[in-house]
Amino acid sequence: GMYGASCFVTPMVPRTAPEAGAVSLAAFQQGPPAEVESQASAWSPLAIGAALGLLIAVAGGKPALAADLENGESIFNGNCTSCHAGGNNTIVAEKKLKKDALEKYLAGGYSVASIMTQVTNGKNSMPAFGEKLGPDDIDDVANYVYEQASKW
């Protein structure tokens, strides 16, 4: 109540004596109003930061992609390295996970969709992982293999 009233009093203070008005206003407003102001100013940057963080997370494709590839690498290390460590193939040596071999041997060629199909359904010596891994994990590991194929 009083805080709102002080807003109406301040403009009426003559321009020749702004210090007098400011001093009496400061003396009048001890404690809670100052705390309220500090809480409000502390909250605004937090709210802005949270909104900005959410915007970046939703709109920025790169951070999400990096997380997916990280999960893909984890899935790969936990499920695929027994036969495909370093992009190799310990069962059928020529059928590596390297780009040129994927282009040559993978049904559908070098694409994320073809890798997903192979991981999900298996083929020849490779077991199917469709029952063991969820669709998101299969998508992530396929993207990881696709990205790594030109680096192995």
Side-chain angles (χ1 to χ4, degrees), residues 79-141:
N79 296 278
C80 313
T81 53
S82 56
C83 296
H84 294 295
N88 292 307
N89 186 326
T90 59
I91 310 298
V92 185
E94 68 272 11
K95 293 186 178 180
K96 297 176 176 18
L97 300 184
K98 298 182 181 178
K99 186 177 177 183
D100 58 339
L102 291 175
E103 288 170 344
K104 184 174 182 181
Y105 296 110
L106 184 61
Y110 174 63
S111 72
V112 172
S114 299
I115 297 167
M116 286 178 68
T117 299
Q118 178 83 8
V119 171
T120 303
N121 303 326
K123 188 175 179 186
N124 301 325
S125 303
M126 182 171 162
F129 285 84
E131 297 293 316
K132 184 176 181 185
L133 300 174
D136 290 346
D137 287 341
I138 291 174
D139 183 53
D140 291 348
V141 78

Side-chain angles (χ1 to χ4, degrees), residues 49-69:
L52 204 57
L54 182 64
L55 178 68
I56 291 169
V58 171
K62 289 292 183 193
L65 181 63
D68 291 347
L69 292 178

